[in-house]
Amino acid sequence: ETGVTQSPTHLIKTRGQQVTLRCSSQSGHNTVSWYQQALGQGPQFIFQYYREEENGRGNFPPRFSGLQFPNYSSELNVNALELDDSALYLCASSFRDFNTEAFFGQGTRLTVV
Amino acid sequence: GENVEQHPSTLSVQEGDSAVIKCTYSDSASNYFPWYKQELGKGPQLIIDIRSNVGEKKDQRIAVTLNKTAKHFSLHITETQPEDSAVYFCAARKTSYDKVIFGPGTSLSVIP
């Protein structure tokens, strides 16, 4: 186990709704990245947070937003859900200052109907 | 743009045989090359990584090689076991904290 925990593990939402996913990073890690993994594909980078600031963003629209809290936990918010947002959302944490590799949580399976 | 290609997409081997997965990357600034194993219903698990100043790295039954000139890297699993069955992703990143660019994955099946 990596020590990175995500909640909830599964959820179902209706198109047009909003959703918040949560991630607790591994103890001591100050950097959190979020990825979207569609079925049968590799994870795609959404954005990264370092010390509560967004620090890099992939090719995702502004309706994907995030937060990082002082304890380094993080949230991913998605507004105006679309059917194509159905995917496994992964959170990864690392300790940037010490050059550590990223460790992933088990993911949240989001289904948009 | 940044891209990682991976093949084969599926691989089936007999227990005890070796498995090889090959990847190429496009961004010459990439310096870290992690490999992840993803089992059904779980997140990717880091199994080994190699940095650009190293040509080969081994960890028990797993070995990775890197040819930075050709932008190729490979994963070798020897003496495969049924529990090695999973999806394997190669990946590349510029620094250890940069975004991870994943390949499309290889579904490995080890037949007992």
Side-chain angles (χ1 to χ4, degrees), chain A residues 35 37 40-43 45 48 88 90 94 96 99-106, chain B residues 32 34 36 38 41-44 46 49 51 89 93 96-97 99-100 102-104:
Chain A
Y35 292 79
Q37 186 178 20
Q41 297 182 22
F45 175 73
Q48 180 184 92
L88 181 68
L90 296 161
S94 60
R96 178 174 178 150
N99 245 8
T100 64
E101 192 49 76
F103 293 93
F104 285 80
Q106 83 284 3
Chain B
Y32 292 79
Y36 292 89
Q38 187 173 29
K42 296 186 178 181
L46 178 71
D49 64 358
R51 302 194 176 185
F89 292 98
R93 60 197 313 184
S96 66
Y97 49 80
K99 61 184 176 184
V100 182
F102 284 85

Side-chain angles (χ1 to χ4, degrees), chain A residues 3-5 22-34 48-53 67-76 91-97:
Chain A
V4 180
T5 58
R22 295 179 175 82
C23 172
S24 293
S25 58
Q26 184 165 314
S27 178
H29 283 186
N30 58 10
T31 303
V32 174
S33 302
W34 286 91
Q48 180 184 92
Y49 278 82
Y50 171 60
R51 295 188 176 178
E52 303 177 57
E53 297 283 334
L67 282 173
Q68 187 180 32
F69 300 99
N71 66 355
Y72 303 126
S73 65
S74 178
E75 287 182 355
L76 165 66
C91 161
S93 77
S94 60
F95 190 61
R96 178 174 178 150
D97 309 69

Side-chain angles (χ1 to χ4, degrees), chain B residues 31 33 50-56 66 68:
Chain B
N31 285 308
F33 304 92
I50 189 168
R51 302 194 176 185
S52 60
N53 59 348
V54 175
E56 183 175 357
L66 170 65
K68 209 162 191 299

